[in-house]
Amino acid sequence: GRARAEISATFRPGTPGNRDAPMNVFGKVVVIAGALWAAAFLTDKRARVLRTAMAELGPRDPDKYWRDVQPALVGERLAWCGGFALWVLRKAGLTDWQWVPEQGFLGRLPRTNNPQPGDIAYFSEFQHHAIVKKTDGKTLWTIDGNQAPGESVRVRERPITAAHSFYSIEPLVSGKAAA
């Protein structure tokens, strides 16, 4: 079913239980049922990142992503999680950056300790990149390219502590990123 919003309480800063609750424009705490919660509260650009990534779920050809972000890597059969993450940011209209061999793109984004939907999670094991779908502070849900079985894009759930670091796309969202 479709996500439905219900106004559940008036937001009062510092009130236990709703201090960090999402608000609508009327200052009311809103409870959302279902997976579409992000679209109601994210900036349009962050929501576009998630929509773009989610549209790619399932088996994929990695060359599709490399063709856009680093054509020299087409056909190389390399891990493509980072190429996928950058491709999503490009297709969502946030950047025109290219993948830099041996460097990637994360060095252009600031690290954050407060990952938001659309940010990039980095896992030191396998040098894996993933798009943050959401977090509750303990659990992290990501949209990952280069996943088994085969060549797939999947949503994964893991402890937030599994990520080595997070990179904020806020400079891209706000238009303040360096070229």
Side-chain angles (χ1 to χ4, degrees):
R2 297 184 60 155
R4 290 184 33 211
E6 297 176 12
I7 298 173
S8 62
T10 302
F11 179 78
R12 288 182 219 95
T15 302
N18 72 357
R19 181 178 56 233
D20 298 318
M23 292 188 305
N24 66 15
V25 294
F26 304 108
K28 302 285 186 179
V29 174
V30 177
V31 177
I32 302 287
L36 298 178
W37 67 271
F41 300 107
L42 300 178
T43 64
D44 181 53
K45 292 178 181 179
R46 284 185 181 273
R48 254 192 337 240
V49 168
L50 295 184
R51 282 193 307 269
T52 301
M54 292 296 289
E56 294 298 302
L57 292 178
R60 295 291 168 207
D61 176 4
D63 286 344
K64 171 183 180 177
Y65 309 113
W66 289 128
R67 199 169 287 110
D68 257 12
V69 303
Q70 185 42 263
L73 297 178
V74 170
E76 293 295 317
R77 308 310 301 164
L78 300 170
W80 51 277
C81 53
F84 169 72
L86 180 56
W87 179 90
V88 168
L89 296 177
R90 288 172 56 99
K91 288 299 177 190
L94 272 64
T95 186
D96 62 356
W97 293 345
Q98 290 284 301
W99 181 268
V100 179
E102 307 300 321
Q103 295 178 28
F105 72 99
L106 293 180
R108 298 174 123 182
L109 296 172
R111 284 188 180 201
T112 182
N113 292 322
N114 183 25
Q116 302 297 310
D119 287 345
I120 308 299
Y122 179 78
F123 303 86
S124 57
E125 185 177 11
F126 306 116
Q127 300 177 344
H128 185 66
H129 302 62
I131 296 169
V132 173
K133 183 176 182 199
K134 66 179 181 174
T135 181
D136 64 8
K138 293 180 183 177
T139 304
L140 175 67
W141 290 265
T142 56
I143 307 163
D144 299 44
N146 198 34
Q147 296 297 292
E151 305 279 359
S152 293
V153 175
R154 289 187 354 175
V155 173
R156 298 215 30 212
E157 177 183 338
R158 49 176 77 88
I160 196 167
T161 56
H164 177 269
S165 50
F166 296 97
Y167 293 84
S168 175
I169 65 167
E170 192 56 36
L172 299 174
V173 169
S174 67
K176 296 179 182 175

